[in-house]
């Protein structure tokens, strides 16, 4: 008679399960450490005479340094999947998690303003936008979205809508006082674009880049949150892929394939954008 306490050996398709709620994702920890280390390196390069890849691109283009901040947003998307699933497994409700998500986003946004103002806090010119503020917004939007809709196809559709919509916004919407991009003003001019114009209307005197007259902009402004949320969604999709019941080799190939596809799409799209 078979021993009822013994389970049958798992079939090959069942041998790879989603990571348990109590296990850390080592690859994510390693990526987080590497990103923070590189952030420290680029923040202490010694000024404009440093190696080009250790500085941000002045405007158009990309250097290795430009990957740091998107890297953090990418990791926010991944951790959202694992954090939500772990807390739901421990008995938390979606309402509780939604409230916690809002609270964390508000605290993170407030900390960003404190960092911008410390130690003098000149309120007349205190910068409202910032790195922590953008992380807070992306975390809030993607976190709430995942809490109440965990379907993959909706995330892919939203990603396409965000990126295509942002392109249409900066390409076709006339810049007040300047004209239509590509006709009356150079397409994606550093200062004369719809993104910078909106920030100047909303936060005059509180932007990262302030020039005389109308030339002011902020790298973490309002409308540029749109593609940043897209970056976070890519991280969310990566998290869903990593948590799936697939073999490690399949997950690795999937991540490599996704990376190659995104890079190819980005370089191709850069011909027009």
């Amino acid at each position: 008679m078979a021993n009822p306490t013994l389970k049958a050996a798992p079939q090959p398709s069942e041998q790879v399960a989603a990571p348990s709620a109590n296990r850390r994702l080592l690859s994510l920890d390693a990526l987080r450490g590497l990103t923070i280390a590189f952030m420290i390196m680029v923040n202490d390069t010694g000024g404009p005479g440093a190696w080009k890849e250790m500085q941000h691109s002045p405007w158009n283009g990309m250097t290795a340094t430009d990957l740091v901040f998107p890297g953090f947003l990418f990791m926010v998307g991944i951790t959202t999947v694992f954090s939500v699933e772990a807390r739901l497994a421990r008995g938390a409700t979606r309402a509780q998690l939604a409230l916690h998500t809002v609270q964390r986003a508000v605290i993170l946004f407030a900390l960003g303003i404190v960092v911008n103002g410390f130690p003098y806090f000149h309120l007349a010119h205190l910068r409202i936008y910032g790195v922590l503020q953008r992380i807070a917004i992306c975390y809030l939007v993607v976190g709430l979205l995942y809490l109440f809709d965990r379907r993959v196809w909706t995330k892919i559709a939203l990603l396409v809508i965000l990126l295509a919509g942002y392109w249409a916004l900066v390409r076709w919407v006339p810049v007040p006082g300047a004209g239509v991009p590509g006709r009356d003003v150079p397409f994606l001019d550093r200062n004369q674009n719809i993104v910078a114009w909106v920030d100047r209307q909303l936060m005059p005197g509180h932007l990262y880049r302030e020039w005389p007259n109308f030339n002011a902009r902020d790298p973490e402004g309002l409308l540029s949150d749109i593609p940043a949320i897209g970056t976070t969604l890519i991280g969310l999709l990566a998290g869903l892929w990593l948590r799936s019941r697939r073999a490690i080799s399949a997950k690795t190939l999937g991540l490599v394939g996704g990376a190659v596809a995104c890079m190819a799409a980005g370089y191709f799209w850069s011909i027009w954008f």
Side-chain angles (χ1 to χ4, degrees), residues 177-214:
V180 178
R183 188 191 69 185
D184 307 312
V185 64
F187 177 45
L188 283 184
D189 179 82
R190 182 180 306 204
N191 303 310
Q192 292 296 78
N193 59 76
I194 193 63
V195 178
W197 181 85
V198 168
D199 290 335
R200 288 195 293 269
Q201 309 311 306
L202 292 178
M203 300 287 178
H206 297 274
L207 301 179
Y208 183 74
R209 297 295 187 200
E210 294 285 356
W211 283 286
N213 302 322
F214 54 80

Side-chain angles (χ1 to χ4, degrees), residues 98-167:
L99 178 60
H100 188 238
T101 299
V102 173
Q103 290 174 336
R104 293 182 70 179
V106 170
I107 292 172
L108 191 58
F109 196 99
L111 286 174
I113 295 179
V114 171
V115 170
N116 286 349
F118 187 83
Y120 301 109
F121 296 98
H122 298 303
L123 299 182
H125 297 288
L126 178 65
R127 184 186 177 211
I128 306 301
Y129 298 132
V131 169
L132 293 179
Q133 294 90 317
R134 169 156 291 177
I135 294 176
I137 292 172
C138 293
Y139 166 70
L140 177 66
V141 172
V142 174
L144 292 179
L145 175 66
Y146 182 68
L147 263 176
F148 297 102
D149 181 6
R150 287 187 253 173
R151 294 172 296 178
V152 173
W153 75 267
T154 59
K155 312 303 178 296
I156 296 175
L158 180 59
L159 174 63
V160 173
I161 291 171
L162 288 175
L163 297 183
Y166 185 72
W167 168 77

Side-chain angles (χ1 to χ4, degrees), residues 11-154:
Q11 298 301 313
S13 61
E14 300 172 345
Q15 291 178 353
V16 180
S20 67
N22 296 322
R23 292 177 57 191
R24 294 191 65 86
L25 187 61
L26 181 59
S27 57
L28 180 62
D29 285 338
L31 177 60
R32 184 184 293 111
L34 288 171
T35 305
I36 292 175
F38 191 56
M39 178 187 70
I40 295 172
M41 289 174 60
V42 301
N43 285 344
D44 296 281
T45 56
W51 181 38
K52 177 184 176 183
E53 294 299 319
M54 300 295 286
Q55 303 178 63
H56 284 291
S57 175
W59 181 241
N60 189 35
M62 186 187 75
T63 67
T65 299
D66 294 319
L67 298 176
V68 173
F69 190 23
F72 282 114
L73 295 178
F74 179 77
M75 288 184 284
V76 167
I78 296 177
T79 55
T80 295
V81 174
F82 284 86
S83 175
V84 167
E85 295 300 337
R87 293 191 63 185
L88 287 174
R90 293 197 296 267
T93 66
R94 293 186 183 185
Q96 290 173 330
L97 293 183
L99 178 60
H100 188 238
T101 299
V102 173
Q103 290 174 336
R104 293 182 70 179
V106 170
I107 292 172
L108 191 58
F109 196 99
L111 286 174
I113 295 179
V114 171
V115 170
N116 286 349
F118 187 83
Y120 301 109
F121 296 98
H122 298 303
L123 299 182
H125 297 288
L126 178 65
R127 184 186 177 211
I128 306 301
Y129 298 132
V131 169
L132 293 179
Q133 294 90 317
R134 169 156 291 177
I135 294 176
I137 292 172
C138 293
Y139 166 70
L140 177 66
V141 172
V142 174
L144 292 179
L145 175 66
Y146 182 68
L147 263 176
F148 297 102
D149 181 6
R150 287 187 253 173
R151 294 172 296 178
V152 173
W153 75 267
T154 59

